[in-house]
Amino acid sequence: MTSALDIFAIAAHRDDVEQTCGGTLLKMAQRGHRTGILDLTQGEMGTRGTTEQRAHEATEAAKILRVAWRQALNIPDGRVENTWENRLKVARVIREQRPRVVILPYWKGRHPDHYTASVLGYEACFAAGLAKLELTSAVSTQQSAVSHSGEASGGRDAGATVSDQALPLPPHRPFKIVYATLYYDVRPTFVVDITDQFEARFRSLMAYKSQFSDQEAGKDLFPAEAELRSRIEAMARFYGMLGGVTYAEPFLQKEVGLVDDLLAIPVKSI
Ligand SMILES: [Zn+2]
């Protein structure tokens, strides 16, 4: 399928991807790969801004990161739950977009939405590959929005009954799942050099004007832009240092690395 995504980042909130792996997505797009972002929630619980503002800002950020596809599901913000219904929602998108690589949030963290999104994403990737699980393409996001109550705790097959016009989606399981670890203090198994993408990634985050521009609302919760910039730079520098480059983003893979040529292994030892 020509429209399949090469790399697909799944995260709980709009702006999570910009903070944790936006530079990597931009780098991959610059290399000619097709990238996408699925935000699980629409941000209705945020202290600042409306969901409409955030949707507009997410589109702007996606343009800066040269993302080919971006959508937000309607899972309630602040209560991302790993239910069968939510897994099917994500699995349906995985079958539609057919990514080879999926980037998930790391499975530990402060915000329950983040670590839940990790497990939910993993189990959705697994479910998407089950040959006997019938899933049909959603007719529209609005339709799945009204069908979702947020109350379901699993067991109900909401995926196969969206509409009579919906098309069956063939099974698909991503080849690779990696975890973006920036929100959690854990040693990454690899970092991606984003030295050339750092400025654009920062601009993509600043596209969320309702969240990050200096303002009165939530002043105690949100750092001012200058402070935010130095924090983000410090993190990128730290992970860059681990990889022997200026700026980098951290990732973790559960599998071991496979090496073909010892002479080609990057990152100096001493
Ligand atoms: Zn978040």
Side-chain angles (χ1 to χ4, degrees), residues 11-17 19 41 77 110-111 113-114 183:
H13 313 116
R14 286 165 166 161
D15 81 24
D16 282 349
V17 162
Q19 296 190 57
T41 67
D77 185 13
R110 182 188 68 85
H111 198 311
D113 281 358
H114 294 164
Y183 283 157

Side-chain angles (χ1 to χ4, degrees), residues 103-162:
I103 303 174
L104 295 176
Y106 184 57
W107 58 87
K108 287 183 196 172
R110 182 188 68 85
H111 198 311
D113 281 358
H114 294 164
Y115 58 74
T116 308
S118 184
V119 185
L120 168 60
Y122 178 87
E123 293 184 4
C125 287
F126 191 86
L130 292 172
K132 288 186 176 167
L133 176 68
E134 287 180 23
L135 283 175
T136 49
S137 60
V139 172
S140 72
T141 46
Q142 277 75 20
Q143 184 151 359
S144 56
V146 280
S147 72
H148 178 69
S149 65
E151 300 298 325
S153 56
R156 192 164 64 86
D157 183 356
T161 55
V162 174

